Amino acid sequence: MRSGYVALIGRPNVGKSTLLNQLLGQKLSITSRKPQTTRHRILGINTLPEGQIIYLDTPGMHQEGQRALNRQLNKTADSTLMGVDAVVFLIDKPEWAEYDRTILEKLKQAGLPTILAINKVDRINNKSNLLAFLAEAHNTYPFAELIPISALKSTNTQALEQALLHLLPENEPIYPTDQLTDRPERFFCAELVREKLIRYLGDELPYRLTVEIEHYQETEKLTRIHALIWIEHHSQKSIVIGKNGEKLKLVGTEARRDIEKMIERKVYLQLWVKIKKGWSDDQRALHSLGFNDQ
Ligand code: GDP
Ligand code: MG
């Protein structure tokens, strides 16, 4: 048996979370076209007949100017690389982006066995570009392997898994073999609500919006969940709620479906929008508007 920790690193939007979900066969990490989707570090545990791979999906970086991004990138890469046994470095085109150079520097310092995964190959039409890039990458850095994959279509993801197993130390499983993550289910419920908000609010999404599970109760027939959506300004409320409450209804319905899939139970999901300062009146106001979803 081999077991160990693997960091998934790469620029925002290259498909780290999509890959994690695909490898685990379950949605653990929320994904979107927006760079800041993954805010928390997520541990995904994949137990295979040959061993256990524990993946770390890393938070996205905020694109607030190049210097800040670089700083954040360095911090994220540093902390994620600490204590892992191997790394998957994801890129999403057969070419280096500017930030990839920074990541390569970090990798060099860390000196960990690293697989370069060129993701989104389903979008590559010109395979000769890919071949030329593979040769170039091989000379750029001593990668343990270069593997073109499609996280979305599951192309070559098993080959990636097998290659990773070979890089891990001989070990008994670190986590119980039926465990999927180190986070409680309620954490993922909040994340799924946040994912739908990102999806349906688009560019209107308040930057500091957060979701908190206030109440999580399993009854005999269903799981009751009360989620608070925290915003900062009163003016953002109508954006989140939408005309006649349509946005919030949609978010609630879609999040509930995903949560039901995840916990395999019926769910009663109630969403509340609260303003961090002076929100006490909103609770009653929203309740009277009937913002809940079954
Ligand atoms: P992250 O920021 O690195 O975690 O990236 P995400 O996993 O959130 O993915 C960013 C976007 O890329 C999403 O819209 C995904 O659907 C898309 N994506 C991820 N993997 C693939 C892939 O293999 N092919 C294609 N065409 N799109 C992908
Ligand atoms: Mg992500």
Side-chain angles (χ1 to χ4, degrees):
M1 291 286 274
R2 291 176 181 273
S3 292
Y5 291 85
V6 171
L8 301 176
I9 66 164
R11 281 173 299 113
N13 231 27
V14 291
K16 299 180 292 295
S17 298
T18 307
L19 177 64
L20 178 65
N21 293 338
Q22 197 62 257
L23 289 166
L24 297 179
Q26 188 163 347
K27 184 162 179 174
L28 264 201
S29 199
I30 65 172
T31 65
S32 87
R33 287 192 194 84
K34 294 196 174 176
Q36 80 281 23
T37 307
T38 308
R39 275 194 194 156
H40 310 275
R41 184 194 281 200
I42 295 183
L43 204 74
I45 305 162
N46 193 14
T47 304
L48 301 155
E50 306 91 339
Q52 188 173 65
I53 312 178
I54 303 148
Y55 294 100
L56 293 163
D57 185 13
T58 53
M61 300 110 193
H62 298 283
Q63 240 143 349
E64 309 157 305
Q66 188 155 319
R67 267 212 312 222
L69 176 64
N70 270 326
R71 241 192 342 260
Q72 181 69 30
L73 197 78
N74 289 345
K75 230 169 59 193
T76 307
D78 282 347
S79 63
T80 307
L81 293 179
M82 226 133 63
V84 301
D85 301 292
V87 177
V88 178
F89 176 18
L90 269 100
I91 55 177
D92 65 352
K93 283 191 196 82
E95 62 190 40
W96 301 116
E98 203 188 322
Y99 301 124
D100 294 334
R101 307 270 176 202
T102 314
I103 295 175
L104 280 169
E105 275 308 309
K106 286 287 152 199
L107 288 173
K108 211 173 275 173
Q109 286 167 28
L112 294 161
T114 300
I115 294 176
L116 180 69
I118 302 110
N119 190 27
K120 309 193 186 180
V121 285
D122 54 291
R123 295 201 308 202
I124 301 176
N125 297 320
N126 187 342
K127 301 285 180 213
S128 65
N129 277 357
L130 179 62
L131 290 175
F133 177 76
L134 290 175
E136 200 269 335
H138 184 74
N139 291 326
T140 303
Y141 188 85
F143 292 110
E145 303 254 5
L146 307 166
I147 309 180
I149 62 165
S150 169
L152 203 63
K153 310 248 188 254
S154 240
T155 312
N156 262 352
T157 49
Q158 284 201 329
L160 174 64
E161 205 171 71
Q162 288 303 313
L164 277 171
L165 275 170
H166 287 294
L167 299 178
L168 298 182
E170 280 183 30
N171 247 339
E172 290 304 304
I174 295 163
Y175 285 89
T177 53
D178 60 350
Q179 195 173 330
L180 198 67
T181 181
D182 64 335
R183 299 249 184 192
E185 267 161 358
R186 52 194 292 161
F187 165 81
F188 293 104
C189 294
E191 285 289 278
L192 287 169
V193 172
R194 203 162 63 81
E195 179 184 62
K196 304 311 170 197
L197 287 163
I198 291 171
R199 180 161 307 161
Y200 292 111
L201 297 183
D203 293 333
E204 291 185 308
L205 183 81
Y207 179 64
R208 289 182 203 282
L209 172 148
T210 57
V211 179
E212 177 191 335
I213 304 299
E214 181 194 41
H215 180 78
Y216 189 101
Q217 183 198 10
E218 289 180 355
T219 65
E220 202 182 314
K221 290 217 176 87
L222 50 73
T223 301
R224 259 171 210 287
I225 303 166
H226 294 183
L228 303 180
I229 300 166
W230 289 101
I231 53 175
E232 283 199 316
H233 302 292
H234 199 269
S235 61
Q236 298 169 336
K237 207 165 76 178
S238 57
I239 295 172
V240 174
I241 292 168
K243 208 170 134 211
N244 300 322
E246 278 163 14
K247 279 266 158 74
L248 200 60
K249 275 243 159 72
L250 193 60
V251 166
T253 307
E254 299 250 321
R256 174 182 50 78
R257 272 193 206 130
D258 273 15
I259 295 169
E260 285 181 336
K261 239 188 267 166
M262 175 178 74
I263 65 178
E264 297 175 326
R265 302 198 76 208
K266 265 198 110 40
V267 166
Y268 176 83
L269 174 65
Q270 197 161 35
L271 299 179
W272 308 79
V273 180
K274 285 190 173 180
I275 301 162
K276 250 178 193 147
K277 281 174 241 138
W279 46 259
S280 55
D281 290 339
D282 295 278
Q283 183 173 340
R284 231 172 313 138
L286 285 173
H287 189 52
S288 68
L289 286 170
F291 286 112
N292 49 46
D293 170 69
Q294 186 157 27

